[in-house]
Amino acid sequence: MGSGTSSAAQETVHLVLMGISGSGKTTLAERLAQELKRSYAEADEFHSPANIEKMASGTPLTDEDRAPWLAAIRDWMGSAANAGGTIVTCSALKRTYRDLLREAAGRVFFLHVTSDPAVIIDRMEHRPGHFMPASLVPSQLATLEELGMDEDGAVLVNSGSVDELVEQALTIVADL
């Protein structure tokens, strides 16, 4: 992936942990927020009640459903730009969604967390209290557009321990 623009060490960098539901974004984001001492937000907190109800019923969201949600995340990142950057989880499945998030003040760097779909489905089936059903994994995989070579980001394969995933991520963001 592209390394983005070179910049002063003081530049605000927002880390967006992207990928389908159940890939491990939240677990990684919570650990990175502790390690990097940055503000953290879970994108699910920005969904409207209507979006949550729609997903809970097993209906995939449309681009129109997602637009205000993505704008709210972008605005939250921008409002925290003076604090040195943020960490946010967001599926960011399509490039157009990532383009909207990139409008936030500062640099937006994507960490695409991936895992074996069978592992993800199993994880989601055993995840208590979450509105997103495992039945939506195929629609998320069908919608997912991989990071382009010209996009500022990196791919993290979630196939080991949480500690290994955190170390991979910290190695990548150390150079930002």
Side-chain angles (χ1 to χ4, degrees), residues 78-133:
S79 71
N82 291 335
T86 62
I87 296 173
V88 64
T89 61
C90 178
S91 55
L93 298 175
K94 291 184 178 181
R95 185 180 186 120
T96 55
Y97 305 165
R98 296 188 295 271
D99 289 345
L100 195 144
L101 295 172
R102 271 191 280 273
E103 294 174 1
R107 179 179 177 188
V108 179
F109 188 87
F110 294 90
L111 287 172
H112 180 185
V113 184
T114 67
S115 191
D116 180 286
V119 171
I120 290 172
I121 289 170
D122 182 65
R123 192 179 293 148
M124 289 180 68
E125 287 174 343
H126 296 94
R127 182 166 65 175
H130 198 276
F131 61 83
M132 180 71 124

Side-chain angles (χ1 to χ4, degrees), residues 2 26 37 69 75-76 94 120 127 130 136 160 163 172 176:
T26 299
K37 301 190 181 356
W69 169 67
D75 295 347
W76 177 80
K94 291 184 178 181
I120 290 172
R127 182 166 65 175
H130 198 276
L136 288 181
D163 289 339
I172 291 166
L176 300 180

Side-chain angles (χ1 to χ4, degrees), residues 6-72:
S6 60
S7 59
Q10 303 270 353
E11 181 185 24
T12 297
V13 178
H14 303 287
L15 300 176
V16 177
L17 279 65
M18 64 168 278
I20 68 169
S21 188
S23 61
K25 300 181 303 287
T26 299
T27 301
L28 177 58
E30 289 170 349
R31 290 280 302 275
L32 288 177
Q34 290 173 347
E35 293 283 334
L36 300 172
K37 301 190 181 356
R38 290 197 188 178
S39 297
Y40 158 69
E42 168 61 50
D44 288 343
E45 298 169 7
F46 295 86
H47 273 300
S48 69
N51 278 4
I52 291 172
E53 183 177 323
K54 192 171 187 179
M55 288 183 287
S57 73
T59 304
L61 297 180
T62 65
D63 288 353
E64 293 74 27
D65 295 328
R66 288 186 176 103
W69 169 67
L70 292 163

